[in-house]
């Protein structure tokens, strides 16, 4: 399954009653909660899943959005109706970064049939497709008494870096920092206790993956952007951000660009800058 899906293609899949689960993962750094937006309007049949409480472990030394416990993630996905052999499409309200975290998580969990809605909820509305405030009922058990959601989480299918491995990749390969340039340079830091970046990392803000219309750039434009940073299929590449969320969109963009693949994806420093700061590691500033 291609990692991006257009609003029109998703609408066709839903009208055909295919086994597609749609996850609404709208979220804002600092709030208010995305669930409020969901309750006002969402894609018909979409299930809201919370990044902070359902798609991440509690914050701590591992960072602000550590990877969730596999059993907890499995319970969340089953409650949303995700089935083995089905498909999942995630959308957010912004540049696709939060939805990319869901894409990455499901791929990490061993579920391959997952995509991000290109352009998010805004693109769905702009296409004139239907929206609703109705919250779907929780998936019921089937006639045999088995849960409709039966996905099995098998973690470890996507490469994950710890702090030492991220530092080594910044020296020996390419480590991309998905945060905005002022945060990368250390001019400002609104969330974490230290400002700056991992020494040797290069800045590739996640907002650069999309155009003015909020849709993802074509593969050739993404490839050219990464080539300008020295990224090619011959060099090991990984990504990080503030807490491992927006960096997931770098992993996705590299795959869309054809630089990496589903078989050989880019690595993610899941703890990211929040974990780096908690470990009191060396910090670089400037650009």
């Amino acid at each position: 399954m291609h990692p991006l899906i257009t609003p029109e293609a998703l609408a066709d899949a839903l009208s055909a009653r295919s086994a597609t689960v749609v996850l609404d993962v709208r979220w804002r750094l600092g709030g208010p909660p995305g669930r409020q937006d969901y309750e006002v309007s969402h894609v018909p049949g979409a299930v809201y899943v919370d990044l902070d409480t359902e798609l991440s472990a509690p914050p701590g030394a591992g960072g602000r959005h550590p990877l969730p416990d596999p059993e907890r993630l499995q319970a969340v996905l089953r409650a949303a109706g995700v089935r083995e052999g089905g498909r999942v499409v995630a959308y957010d309200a912004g540049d696709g970064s939060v939805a990319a975290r869901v894409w990455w998580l499901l791929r990490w969990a061993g579920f391959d049939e997952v995509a991000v809605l290109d352009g998010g909820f805004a693109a769905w509305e702009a296409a004139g497709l239907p929206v609703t405030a109705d919250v779907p009922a929780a998936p019921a058990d089937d006639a045999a008494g088995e849960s409709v959601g039966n996905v099995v989480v098998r973690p470890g299918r996507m490469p994950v870096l710890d702090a030492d491995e991220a530092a080594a990749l910044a020296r020996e390969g390419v480590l991309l920092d998905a945060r905005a340039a002022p945060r990368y340079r250390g001019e400002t830091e609104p969330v974490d206790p230290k400002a700056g970046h991992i020494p040797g990392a290069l800045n590739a803000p996640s907002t650069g993956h999309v155009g003015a219309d909020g849709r993802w750039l074509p593969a050739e434009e993404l490839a050219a952007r990464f080539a300008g940073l020295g990224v090619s299929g011959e060099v090991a590449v990984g990504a990080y951000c503030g807490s491992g969320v927006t960096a997931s969109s770098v992993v996705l963009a590299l795959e869309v660009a054809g630089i990496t693949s589903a078989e050989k994806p880019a690595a993610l420093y899941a703890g990211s800058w929040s974990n780096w700061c908690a470990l009191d590691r060396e910090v670089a500033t400037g650009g």
Side-chain angles (χ1 to χ4, degrees), residues 6-269:
T6 66
E8 294 79 9
L10 175 58
D12 288 344
L14 295 177
S15 64
R17 299 188 180 276
S18 63
T20 301
V21 172
V22 181
L23 301 180
D24 184 317
V25 292
R26 284 178 280 181
W27 175 85
R28 302 181 188 86
L29 181 63
R35 185 178 292 276
Q36 295 180 7
D37 295 332
Y38 172 80
E39 290 173 349
V40 171
S41 181
H42 54 263
V43 173
V47 178
Y48 184 79
V49 182
D50 185 69
L51 171 67
D52 292 322
T53 62
E54 296 180 297
L55 299 176
S56 307
R64 285 185 281 110
H65 289 109
L67 297 184
D69 174 79
E71 290 188 4
R72 168 63 173 160
L73 178 61
Q74 179 172 286
V76 168
L77 295 177
R78 288 186 174 188
V82 180
R83 291 188 59 83
E84 294 287 316
R87 300 197 305 170
V88 173
V89 174
Y91 69 86
D92 57 29
D95 60 5
S97 293
V98 182
R101 166 68 174 233
V102 179
W103 170 85
W104 187 93
L105 267 180
L106 266 71
R107 289 273 296 271
W108 171 78
F111 189 92
D112 295 325
E113 295 298 306
V114 56
V116 169
L117 179 61
D118 191 6
F121 188 64
W124 179 272
E125 288 189 301
L129 295 167
V131 297
T132 183
D134 295 337
V135 177
D141 292 345
D142 63 17
E146 297 182 358
S147 174
V148 172
N150 66 356
V151 66
V152 176
V153 168
R154 303 175 179 89
R157 287 278 298 278
M158 295 288 272
V160 179
L161 304 173
D162 61 19
D164 288 340
E165 291 165 335
L169 184 59
R171 295 190 303 268
E172 301 163 6
V174 178
L175 181 65
L176 300 175
D177 185 321
R179 297 172 301 162
R183 290 184 71 186
Y184 168 82
R185 293 192 295 263
E187 297 167 3
T188 183
E189 180 46 64
V191 186
D192 294 306
K194 290 186 176 183
H197 59 268
I198 295 173
L202 303 177
N203 194 209
S206 61
T207 52
H209 302 150
V210 297
D213 59 356
R215 304 290 284 266
W216 284 67
L217 297 177
E220 59 272 17
E221 292 186 33
L222 289 172
R225 179 179 186 236
F226 288 122
L229 292 166
V231 181
S232 71
E234 301 175 358
V235 180
V237 60
Y240 79 99
C241 56
S243 66
V245 175
T246 57
S248 301
S249 70
V250 176
V251 177
L252 189 155
L254 286 163
E255 188 168 315
V256 172
I259 295 171
T260 62
S261 66
E263 294 72 31
K264 296 185 65 175
L268 176 71
Y269 176 19

